[in-house]
Amino acid sequence: MQSRTPARRTGRPRSAAADAAILAATREALVELGWSRLTLSDVAIRAGVAKTTLYRRWAGKNELVVDAVAELFDELRVPDRGSLAADIEGVVLQFAAILARPEARSGLMAVVAEATRDEALRERIRASIVDRQKHLVLAGRARAQARGELPAETDTGRTARAADLIFDMVAGAVVHRTLVSAEPADEEWVHGFTRVLLSGLAAAGSA
């Protein structure tokens, strides 16, 4: 699997500004051209870099689009809104807003479809998007435990399994709502979803 940060080479160092320009150009091309018509040549022209610059960083279109979409999800933060319920609603609304962006929607659906035939691409999606955002669940749980809203957890294995499950429930519900059902994940829906999620967390904590 390609790494976002390749091993250091001699010669000219990798440019963070070029990386940012390439990823932004990829998202722009996704919106204007769609997945099928997007090419690395077009991205290179939009980003103002040589095509060889792209190939030194990404093996192909699949990997490039995953990283361009992953950068959008890096914008997610767990807001401190005073309670676990309000914090969850805040981050879910952020997530839904990102998925509503045309570049996120088209890019994510395209790479997920491609990943059904490409195990390496599935691994890249998992590492670059899924695993990279699980810290949000851990941060939210830790804050709720500090407030006394959730019981402290000393079993690290159980904590990790719970974080995986919570992430899957949140991500799965929001992706299905916005991308599959094409329904809005508005404040009313998010409020109802949060109530259901918290009732499950309370039951798990008392088990």
Side-chain angles (χ1 to χ4, degrees), residues 137-138 141 153 156-169 201 204:
V137 176
L138 298 175
R141 280 173 61 90
E153 180 62 73
T156 56
R158 180 173 176 176
T159 297
R161 290 191 296 273
D164 285 349
L165 183 58
I166 294 166
F167 184 91
D168 288 346
M169 288 190 292
L201 286 175

Side-chain angles (χ1 to χ4, degrees), residues 65-146:
V65 172
V66 168
D67 285 1
V69 172
E71 190 174 59
L72 295 177
F73 294 116
D74 286 341
E75 298 173 10
L76 288 169
R77 299 290 184 271
V78 181
D80 189 349
R81 302 173 73 180
S83 71
L84 177 58
D87 290 356
I88 292 173
E89 290 181 7
V91 77
V92 171
L93 285 168
Q94 289 177 55
F95 183 36
I98 290 173
L99 288 176
R101 293 163 66 169
E103 63 269 35
R105 183 170 61 247
S106 59
L108 186 61
M109 293 186 76
V111 294
V112 168
E114 290 294 313
T116 61
R117 302 182 294 273
D118 188 336
E119 175 63 28
L121 183 58
R122 282 199 296 274
E123 289 296 329
R124 192 179 186 93
I125 293 170
R126 184 179 300 118
S128 297
I129 298 177
V130 178
D131 291 346
R132 209 154 87 193
Q133 299 306 328
K134 285 184 180 177
H135 71 93
L136 297 167
V137 176
L138 298 175
R141 280 173 61 90
R143 184 184 292 160
Q145 288 166 345

